Amino acid sequence: MKAMILNRPGEELQYTELPDRFPGPGEIRVRVTACGVCRTDLHVLDGELPDMTYPIIPGHEIVGRIDRLGEGVDGLHLGDRVGIPWLGHTCGHCPYCQAHRENLCDQPLFTGYTRDGGFASSVIADARFAFPLGEEGSDVALAPLLCAGLIGWRSLCLAGDGEVIAGKALGLYGFGAAAHIVAQVARHEGWKVYAFTQTDDKDTQAFAMSLGAVWAGGSEEMPPVALESAIIFAPVGSLVPLALQAVRKGGRVVCAGIHMSDIPGFPYSLLWEERQLVSVANLTRQDGLDFLPLAQKIGVATQTTTYGLQDANQALADLRAGKFDRAAVLIP
């Protein structure tokens, strides 16, 4: 197998040929056909996440075909197209797993972070955490749904506290891979979308409007109406006070990233009047079972830039530099 390996934090990935790997009991081997490049991969690259071990193969928005089954795998077959997401394994017995909150498991494994991921020609995965994808849609278009889409969906559900709030105003701070997906879902669910971008980023603001946003402006601007809820996708802590200022009394601000720069001090008045500040952590398998069929049903369209596997360092550099606003996908 071929892989792009991170040997130490802060270094470039190294293109390496490795012996083929074989699945253990309950595992599958997937021949990777597409793997999205996520901002979380930058946090892995920079060593910003806890409990990192090296070497590691990043990548957690994986689409591919099963080419080998481990002992005891049920419900999946050779040749099936599956998606492998960020959450790669849970213990099943901690209080969070027992309470159906496996995204908060005490002993999890995460694809491309604590177990090898999809910046490779093949990947070993826990069969229980693989989503059957069927045959509709291209591999490249589906890959961003496995994290940007799923985290966006979980954030959207939390923004509405599990309710559909037709006609209410939703702010999306940072209009990249996740926001351009969730904006389409939010519109279908009845939200009015307000997009916040970097100052004077007219191209991204126009893109947001093309996806149905009713307003787009810079992140430091106040929208023309008070927001019901806001989701912050950009890993920028200084956006938190701005989003709190933009939501109405009783409104909610959802921080969707796994890592964010420090949140600056802000006056209590921004949080008062029962405004809420919450975070989203990881995902559950139920999120995938709910979201992936919905995305197919409503025809979510992902905008992608593709790179070869050996160009993973360039894709990561372009993501860091903001050279594209949508999603990058590696093709082995």
Side-chain angles (χ1 to χ4, degrees):
M1 61 175 283
K2 301 175 176 64
M4 296 296 289
I5 294 180
L6 177 65
N7 289 304
R8 295 177 188 82
E11 294 187 353
E12 288 198 339
L13 306 182
Q14 299 298 313
Y15 182 74
T16 308
E17 293 198 19
L18 301 170
D20 286 339
R21 298 175 177 180
F22 298 91
E27 294 181 329
I28 56 176
R29 188 175 71 187
V30 176
R31 176 175 54 82
V32 178
T33 53
C35 185
V37 181
C38 177
R39 186 162 293 277
T40 301
D41 296 316
L42 291 179
H43 300 317
V44 170
L45 187 70
D46 295 340
E48 293 176 325
L49 304 183
D51 304 320
M52 287 288 303
T53 58
Y54 303 91
I56 188 71
I57 302 171
H60 56 275
E61 296 179 327
I62 306 167
V63 176
R65 300 271 176 182
I66 299 174
D67 70 358
R68 200 170 186 102
L69 296 168
E71 183 181 351
V73 173
D74 293 321
L76 295 173
H77 307 90
L78 292 175
D80 284 356
R81 185 169 69 160
V82 295
I84 309 299
W86 169 250
L87 186 63
H89 174 84
T90 57
C91 71
H93 55 75
C94 73
Y96 297 104
C97 287
Q98 291 295 306
H100 306 291
R101 303 180 71 188
E102 65 182 6
N103 61 307
L104 301 178
C105 174
D106 283 334
Q107 301 178 59
L109 292 175
F110 298 110
T111 310
Y113 167 29
T114 56
R115 67 182 296 163
D116 283 335
F119 286 10
S121 56
S122 67
V123 63
I124 303 295
D126 186 328
R128 300 171 303 162
F129 291 82
F131 296 121
L133 295 178
E135 298 300 325
E136 190 168 327
S138 74
D139 298 342
V140 169
L142 289 172
L145 301 182
L146 272 300
C147 183
L150 282 170
I151 290 299
W153 168 251
R154 187 170 183 84
S155 301
L156 181 63
C157 291
L158 194 56
D161 199 20
E163 300 177 359
V164 175
I165 307 180
K168 299 297 185 180
L170 173 71
L172 301 179
Y173 285 79
F175 207 86
H180 98 280
I181 294 171
V182 79
Q184 298 173 64
V185 181
R187 285 193 61 229
H188 176 267
E189 297 290 305
W191 293 89
K192 291 183 177 178
V193 174
Y194 293 74
F196 297 82
T197 72
Q198 293 185 355
T199 303
D200 297 327
D201 187 351
K202 301 301 182 184
D203 289 342
T204 302
Q205 292 169 17
F207 176 57
M209 297 293 287
S210 76
L211 291 177
V214 299
W215 177 90
S219 296
E220 75 290 346
E221 297 181 48
M222 286 296 107
V225 300
L227 304 175
E228 179 79 21
S229 297
I231 304 173
I232 302 176
F233 291 112
V236 181
S238 60
L239 293 176
V240 170
L242 292 169
L244 284 170
Q245 186 178 354
V247 298
R248 64 162 180 81
K249 292 183 287 187
R252 179 176 292 185
V253 174
V254 180
C255 299
I258 190 172
H259 178 83
M260 179 180 277
S261 61
D262 288 347
I263 300 171
F266 57 86
Y268 176 64
S269 60
L270 293 182
L271 189 61
W272 189 56
E273 296 175 317
E274 299 193 353
R275 293 175 180 86
Q276 300 175 51
L277 177 62
V278 299
S279 69
V280 164
N282 312 313
L283 59 108
T284 68
R285 283 171 284 182
Q286 190 61 49
D287 292 328
L289 296 175
D290 293 339
F291 169 70
L292 293 171
L294 176 64
Q296 179 179 331
K297 176 183 176 181
I298 67 178
V300 169
T302 55
Q303 304 288 323
T304 58
T305 301
T306 57
Y307 297 79
L309 177 62
Q310 290 181 265
D311 298 321
N313 287 310
Q314 186 62 57
L316 289 162
D318 289 349
L319 174 61
R320 192 188 299 276
K323 290 188 177 180
F324 52 81
D325 297 317
R326 289 68 166 179
V329 179
L330 301 184
I331 303 176

